[in-house]
Amino acid sequence: MSDYQHILVTRDGELVRITMNRPERRNALSAEHLAELLAAFCVAGTSDAKGIVLAGAGPVFSAGHDFADVAARDLLGVRGLLRLCTELMRTIQTVPQVVVARVHGLATAAGCQLVATCDLAIAAESAGFALPGGKGGWFCHTPAVPVARTVGRKRLMELTLTGDVISARTAEEWGLVNRAVPDDELDNAVDDLMRRATRGSAASKALGKQTIYAQLDRPEQDAYALAIEVMASASQLKGAKEGMAAFLEKRPPSWPD
């Protein structure tokens, strides 16, 4: 877990903590940084950890794409960079673990995209969120994809067209983060949410997470068809059988995973 240049990865009990560690570049997402994040999530995803915390070192969470990297690329190069970024986002949502973003300072453009992509997010009250491309020269097309699915159309349009920063409290109100807390309570709030989100059967929760993402953008009839099949199959999991048995026998469950 020490063979990275741009991130820090640590194991803390049942959790893996992935920390972006380019504070001098405001955790800007160069290709190398994205590749390391992708590798770390892939490794964590195949581990027996129950949760993953994504954080940033230094004064901000992430300032988004590294313009020094982008500006040096031609069309094919930028397309490849954006595909790498998208692969990271998809991996965050397909790993079986619960992923919680720990947000402090600014999360802008692809940094905001990371927050919207994570399963859950806790923000310090000093945090801010923006899709600033709308007031610049490079519109935030890809960051808008998960943000749109989190905050809704009108709020997305305000974020993308104005490029203005919204506060952590506004982000909470809009649904971009689960909770905004005083800065000195950030770590405790992250740990508390992670504890509550990882209790129960790990296998059941992993299947549940992946099915939710699979059905979210489908028409209701198709979403139900998918959910019925998965839920029926999930009833045969060891965790499901133990949970039902414990309920019927009026005893605490003993989870097999």
Side-chain angles (χ1 to χ4, degrees):
M1 290 190 177
S2 60
D3 297 331
Y4 297 110
Q5 180 180 355
H6 302 298
I7 64 174
L8 301 173
V9 182
T10 59
R11 182 69 185 254
D12 181 10
E14 294 183 329
L15 303 182
V16 172
R17 299 183 187 273
I18 300 174
T19 303
M20 295 177 283
N21 192 34
R22 299 183 75 204
E24 73 286 353
R25 297 289 298 167
R26 298 166 66 85
N27 293 322
L29 300 171
S30 65
E32 293 80 8
H33 189 176
L34 288 167
E36 288 191 1
L37 285 170
L38 176 60
F41 271 99
C42 288
V43 171
T46 59
S47 74
D48 61 353
K50 288 191 173 183
I52 302 170
V53 176
L54 176 63
V60 304
F61 179 77
S62 175
H65 286 296
D66 189 332
F67 279 6
D69 188 0
V70 176
R73 294 170 178 265
D74 61 10
L75 173 61
L76 292 178
V78 176
R79 185 178 291 146
L81 178 70
L82 295 176
R83 285 177 173 166
L84 173 61
C85 185
T86 300
E87 185 179 359
L88 168 62
M89 303 299 165
R90 288 176 174 166
T91 299
I92 289 171
Q93 294 188 337
T94 56
V95 293
Q97 291 84 0
V98 176
V99 181
V100 178
R102 175 198 181 278
V103 190
H104 73 289
L106 285 173
T108 63
C112 189
Q113 181 181 7
L114 277 171
V115 176
T117 297
C118 289
D119 304 320
L120 303 165
I122 299 289
E125 287 181 336
S126 61
F129 303 83
L131 298 179
K135 62 180 180 181
W138 196 33
F139 200 83
C140 289
H141 298 280
T142 52
V145 173
V147 175
R149 288 154 174 76
T150 304
V151 304
R153 186 172 66 182
K154 295 298 186 185
R155 287 165 174 168
L156 172 76
M157 295 306 285
E158 182 175 342
L159 281 166
T160 56
L161 295 177
T162 69
D164 291 340
V165 175
I166 62 170
S167 69
R169 289 296 179 190
T170 298
E172 178 184 23
E173 178 187 340
W174 288 10
L176 184 59
V177 301
N178 295 86
R179 198 158 298 111
V181 300
D183 288 33
D184 60 358
E185 297 178 16
L186 179 59
D187 287 321
N188 287 338
V190 169
D191 290 345
D192 175 68
L193 181 58
M194 180 66 84
R195 176 187 59 78
R196 292 185 289 114
T198 54
R199 59 193 170 192
S201 165
S204 173
K205 198 178 301 287
L207 183 59
K209 166 183 167 173
Q210 291 162 352
T211 303
I212 284 174
Y213 285 122
Q215 61 92 356
L216 271 178
D217 297 319
R218 296 174 183 239
E220 185 175 287
Q221 184 174 346
D222 293 347
Y224 267 122
L226 173 65
I228 286 169
E229 291 306 311
V230 175
M231 195 162 185
S233 299
S235 70
Q236 304 306 301
L237 291 173
K238 291 180 180 179
K241 290 184 176 295
E242 169 59 15
M244 287 183 249
F247 176 81
L248 294 171
E249 296 166 14
K250 296 180 172 56
R251 60 172 173 81
S254 178
W255 302 115
D257 51 5

